Amino acid sequence: MNPIIVIPARMAATRLPGKPLADIGGLPMIVRALRQAEAAKAGPVVVAAGDAEIIEAVETAGGRAVLTDPDLPSGSDRVLAALEAVDPQGAHDVVINLQGDMPFVEPEVLARTADLMARTGCDIATAVAAEASPADRGNPDVVKAILTMVNGEWEGRALYFTRSTLYGDGPVWRHIGIYGYRRRALERFCAAPPSPLERREKLEQLRALELGLSIHAVVCDAAPLSVDNPVDLEAARELAGS
């Protein structure tokens, strides 16, 4: 297995325009994500940038970036475009997709995602964490992963992902938006149109399940902060200053 980490980023975020370059403790957010990915030592790191400004910031910090079409429909499409640009010969058979709005993701999460792919035959690997509070169960902004996992296990196969409320005994796993793809699985995923369940739940990982691709998840200690709006950005700045 020869993995590569690709970080998709674009300036035109709906709720926080320009967020890849938002200053967090003296560093652009995309550079913080880059540094965490490099620390994982799970393979070379490339930023899939939708804008020239992002490339300039990454290269100024000593990183590698490639310009992708800003009109690509999703981060997954941006990852595939960057992968084809930097590795047209297909040397990297696994790609780890790290969102550029996770400036404090633990490098171990990326390393464990790559390790999960190495140890299993799954098409896609991802990560989950335990619910932060009982309120997570009914929060549609918290994506829940339903896994084939019994007590004492720390990884399992994903049966479904949902925004709906989960009832009954047992843990509720919050999905962390980090993915490891077999290259062939990413190509198949991006070639397919959005699926019915994906459109219903607004969760693109359901397209993979409807295609018959297998997804396994590893349990991590906590979900990293994802910067989606101005409130999250202030929280990130406070965390950087702590």
Side-chain angles (χ1 to χ4, degrees), residues 20-71:
L21 301 186
D23 182 274
I24 299 176
L27 286 176
M29 178 158 50
I30 188 62
V31 173
R32 284 191 173 272
L34 173 71
R35 293 287 182 255
Q36 298 303 96
E38 291 170 339
K41 300 187 184 304
V45 183
V46 177
V47 173
D51 308 271
E53 303 99 306
I54 298 172
I55 290 183
E56 182 179 0
V58 170
E59 291 182 344
T60 297
R64 185 181 184 188
V66 59
L67 187 65
T68 58
D69 185 346
D71 295 326

Side-chain angles (χ1 to χ4, degrees), residues 197-209:
L197 288 175
E198 175 186 2
R199 292 195 298 268
R200 180 173 181 172
E201 293 259 21
K202 296 181 174 57
L203 297 173
E204 68 174 15
Q205 60 268 47
L206 295 179
R207 186 194 320 175
L209 291 178

Side-chain angles (χ1 to χ4, degrees), residues 97-180:
N97 178 354
L98 168 64
Q99 301 304 313
D101 56 11
M102 292 185 180
F104 301 106
V105 63
E106 291 290 341
E108 181 187 8
V109 176
L110 301 173
R112 291 183 66 191
T113 301
D115 178 67
L116 184 62
M117 299 206 75
R119 291 187 293 99
T120 70
C122 66
D123 297 303
I124 301 170
T126 191
V128 298
E131 59 187 332
S133 75
D136 283 351
R137 298 194 174 207
N139 185 350
D141 291 331
V142 175
V143 179
K144 300 92 177 172
I146 292 87
L147 309 177
T148 57
M149 190 164 60
V150 299
N151 290 338
E153 293 183 339
W154 292 97
E155 60 189 57
R157 181 168 58 90
L159 299 177
Y160 195 65
F161 297 84
T162 186
R163 298 181 184 276
S164 301
T165 301
L166 293 181
Y167 297 95
D169 296 330
V172 170
W173 301 114
R174 295 174 50 130
H175 183 229
I176 300 171
I178 294 168
Y179 296 96

